[in-house]
Amino acid sequence: MTTAQRIELDGLLPRRGSHRRRDLARALIIARLLDPAAKLATARMLNPATASHSLGEMLGLGAVTAKEVYATLDWLGREQGFIEITLARRHLKNGALLLYDVTSTYLEGRCCELAQYGHSRDHRRDRPQLIIGLLCASDGCPVAVEVFAGNTADPMTLSAQIDKLKRRFKLQRVVLVGDRGLLTEARIEATLRPAGLDWITALRAPAIRALAAEGGPLQASLFDTRDMAEITSPDFPGERLVVCKNPLLAAERGRKRDELLATTEKDLARHSGPRATATPSVARGSGDRRGAGRGVWPPQGGQALQRHDHRRHV
């Protein structure tokens, strides 16, 4: 309750709601943080006859039914726009950093119009899913959330967020921060630049390799005396490129590489035969993923590489 008062939770709930409705909304939010549970279980923990803690009593709720809980959630859904605008006024301003990312969740039901089959982060390709996009202030405070059809590609959710920033939040200049799978080159050119927004993201591996090619601006000597540097490239005019060396990540990748290579050698040794070749053929195969080991390794050897997905480490 003290935290709810400190963050002025009451100020986010529309005054046009009844006192009872607002108290129930506060209770549901706090209960979700303290003891996440299904809606029916939440109603029981707030109801004095079946309460498992004192939250309902502290808020003076009295008897609480599951029907009231669902009605309050419907009310919060209808008031989402007001709540998000209030959060944006508190935490966002022109020139601010804005964090954006998406996730997904699979469904068991059949009645959701947005439920579609798509790339499953839950590894449940047998279930339809929803895509959820979350906008946060630079300190991580959530400001807005939106649900998309389950077959929506991550980058295709950006247009809706830009419209939200400009039309609803009245922000004309922000810096959007997102990962490389979200802020793709195509989305930057087609969506962010025309909207006049700045961005921070990461380059994909092919672009990094091009920068690190012989004579390129990204060379190992940059990190002789420091872990971070700024470089420029004609391939990215008007953009700042910041490169960083992470020794902990390098050590972890080295360990994983050694383990994968050791596993490969064991698998290849089991399948060695008349067509097996020496190490130089391994190097040759790694240079061309489409023809790796073609006509050199026995079929089982190729299967070993595919199973462990470590031709890139050879």
Side-chain angles (χ1 to χ4, degrees), residues 81-229:
F82 172 88
I83 295 171
E84 291 180 346
I85 289 174
T86 304
L87 283 168
R89 287 172 178 169
R90 284 189 187 181
H91 300 284
L92 302 180
K93 60 182 180 180
N94 275 316
L97 281 175
L98 200 62
L99 314 179
Y100 180 62
D101 202 1
V102 299
T103 188
S104 61
T105 182
Y106 70 91
L107 301 179
E108 296 289 353
R110 302 177 181 176
C111 300
C112 180
E113 296 178 355
L114 295 176
Q116 299 289 337
Y117 290 94
H119 171 66
S120 176
R121 295 169 175 82
D122 302 311
H123 306 291
R124 292 300 303 269
R125 290 182 292 180
D126 60 326
R127 293 288 186 271
Q129 65 175 14
L130 301 172
I131 301 296
I132 304 169
L134 180 66
L135 279 170
C136 294
S138 59
D139 60 358
C141 177
V143 173
V145 65
E146 188 166 352
V147 181
F148 301 89
N151 58 357
T152 306
D154 294 357
M156 302 309 294
T157 66
L158 280 175
S159 296
Q161 309 313 310
I162 292 175
D163 179 67
K164 187 181 302 180
L165 291 170
K166 287 182 168 289
R167 185 174 58 84
R168 289 176 50 199
F169 299 164
K170 309 301 182 184
L171 297 174
Q172 300 303 315
R173 186 174 59 87
V174 297
V175 181
L176 198 62
V177 183
D179 62 37
R180 72 191 79 194
L182 188 64
L183 301 186
T184 63
E185 186 67 26
R187 288 305 97 204
I188 289 173
E189 297 300 328
T191 306
L192 294 181
R193 284 190 193 276
L197 300 185
D198 293 323
W199 67 90
I200 296 175
T201 188
L203 294 179
R204 291 179 177 269
I208 296 174
R209 282 196 295 269
L211 292 172
E214 185 176 355
L218 176 55
Q219 299 299 318
S221 58
L222 281 173
F223 306 111
D224 287 345
T225 59
R226 54 190 172 182
D227 292 333
M228 185 176 294

